[in-house]
Amino acid sequence: MEIIVTRSRIAGTLPFYEYRALVPLGALDPKRRRLVRPIMLRRIVPTMPCVNIAQVIAPDSWFHAEKRDLAQHSVRIVSVARRVEAMLVAARFPEMADDIIPLVARIEEDPGDARGWVLTDDLTNAFGRLDTAMPMIGPDHIGLSEPDRIAA
């Protein structure tokens, strides 16, 4: 699965950055595409609708669950997704070596906007196997390609 990872500066006087790992909507099979909610981040990926990692790894049953059950499962899905995102981002941007990507990161050296691609196994519906590996989840669990595995 090809995943785009981005680093984009947030407008302002200090070098604040946002890091993202997103899956292009076109990379998902048609069945999953009907379930997810794509996002357009014109500043980051101008022409490509994308999906966040949580929607990709979520089990199919989550999309059909009753509203009262969603909150309980969503917290765990998002926590696993955030760990996966951190590994994906670290594969291209070594300055972001945290276990969880902060919403906004201050980077003193001001490296500028950038984006790149990371290759993994198909992460669709992977929540079950990834959740059982937490908190020791690592690059091997998501099938990062060899160069990306070394970087992460």
Side-chain angles (χ1 to χ4, degrees), residues 36-56:
V36 298
R37 210 172 193 185
I39 53 177
M40 288 294 294
L41 300 172
R42 298 196 193 297
R43 181 175 49 103
I44 299 170
V45 189
T47 61
M48 191 182 319
C50 294
V51 178
N52 64 41
I53 300 297
Q55 291 186 81
V56 174

Side-chain angles (χ1 to χ4, degrees), residues 111-128:
D113 293 351
R115 68 178 173 206
W117 294 93
V118 177
L119 297 174
T120 68
D121 290 343
D122 187 354
L123 299 177
T124 304
N125 201 19
F127 172 74

Side-chain angles (χ1 to χ4, degrees), residues 11-136:
T13 57
L14 296 174
F16 288 116
Y17 282 85
E18 173 185 37
Y19 289 83
R20 301 292 300 257
L22 302 165
V23 177
L25 185 62
L28 298 176
D29 67 51
K31 180 182 174 187
R32 179 56 63 133
R33 273 186 239 161
R34 286 190 296 273
L35 298 174
V36 298
R37 210 172 193 185
I39 53 177
M40 288 294 294
L41 300 172
R42 298 196 193 297
R43 181 175 49 103
I44 299 170
V45 189
T47 61
M48 191 182 319
C50 294
V51 178
N52 64 41
I53 300 297
Q55 291 186 81
V56 174
I57 70 166
D60 290 337
S61 61
W62 183 84
F63 294 97
H64 306 293
E66 295 290 326
K67 287 191 181 211
R68 66 178 180 272
D69 298 329
L70 286 178
Q72 174 186 349
H73 298 294
S74 296
V75 170
R76 192 66 187 159
I77 291 169
V78 168
S79 94
V80 171
R82 293 198 62 201
R83 177 65 189 117
V84 170
E85 287 171 346
M87 286 185 288
L88 295 168
V89 166
R92 283 291 174 260
F93 305 116
E95 73 273 13
M96 188 49 61
D98 297 341
D99 285 342
I100 301 291
I101 299 170
L103 294 176
V104 175
R106 182 176 179 174
I107 308 217
E108 295 299 329
E109 62 274 4
D110 199 9
D113 293 351
R115 68 178 173 206
W117 294 93
V118 177
L119 297 174
T120 68
D121 290 343
D122 187 354
L123 299 177
T124 304
N125 201 19
F127 172 74
R129 71 177 172 81
L130 295 173
D131 188 42
T132 59
M134 288 293 278
M136 302 307 295

